[in-house]
Amino acid sequence: YFGGPDGVRQQRVEGGGTVVLHIVGRALEPIARPIVGFILRDALGQNLFGDNTYLAYRDDPRTMAAGDPFHAILQFQLPYLPLGTYTIAPSIIDGTQQSHVQLFWIEEALILTVNQSPVRIGAIGVPMRVRSVVQAQ
C-alpha cells in the first residue's frame, strides 16, 4: 500500500511527489538473502520502472526464518505519468540481482489511475526543478 513513513495509508499519490510504498508479508520458508521490490507497469503491461531493497542490504543481507513477518518501506519520487491506468507488482526473491529464486509475486496488487497529468509525450515525465531562467546577454 502507499502511505507515509509512519505507515498511515494514503488514498491518493501525486506525480512529482515523494511516495512511500509499504510491502508487508510473512516468510513462508527460510530466506537467506531476501530482496523485496516492485515493478510499475502501464495498461499494456510494459514495465515503466521498479526498484528493490538489494542495494541497501547487498553488503549486509538480512535473513528471514520461516514465519517471520516483514515490512519493507520503499521511498521514491514518483514520476509524472500520462493519463491512464497503472499497476504495481510487488515481489520477494532470494539471492542477488544476478542470481536469485523468485519466491512470491503479485500481479496488479495496486492499481493507480491518473486523471490529470502534465505529460503530453513519452512514457513518463521527470519532475523538473527549474533552477533559473535568465535572459542571454
Side-chain angles (χ1 to χ4, degrees), residues 9 42 124:
R9 292 177 191 252
D42 67 12
I124 62 172

Side-chain angles (χ1 to χ4, degrees), residues 38 41 43 48 71 77 83 98 102 121:
F38 73 97
R41 294 191 176 108
L48 297 182
H71 185 173
Q77 188 171 10
L83 300 176
Q98 296 74 30
Q102 185 74 47
I121 59 170

Side-chain angles (χ1 to χ4, degrees), residues 2 13-17 19 38-43 46-50 76-88 110-127:
F2 282 113
V13 294
E14 301 222 358
V19 297
F38 73 97
I39 293 177
L40 184 131
R41 294 191 176 108
D42 67 12
Q46 299 175 97
N47 296 339
L48 297 182
F49 69 91
F76 56 96
Q77 188 171 10
L78 187 65
Y80 294 112
L81 301 169
L83 300 176
T85 302
Y86 300 84
T87 61
I88 292 184
L110 283 174
I111 298 174
L112 304 176
T113 302
V114 176
N115 297 318
Q116 296 179 346
S117 175
V119 178
R120 297 296 173 248
I121 59 170
I124 62 172
V126 178

Side-chain angles (χ1 to χ4, degrees), residues 58-69:
R58 168 182 56 194
D59 299 328
D60 186 21
R62 305 296 192 249
T63 61
M64 290 184 199
D68 280 354

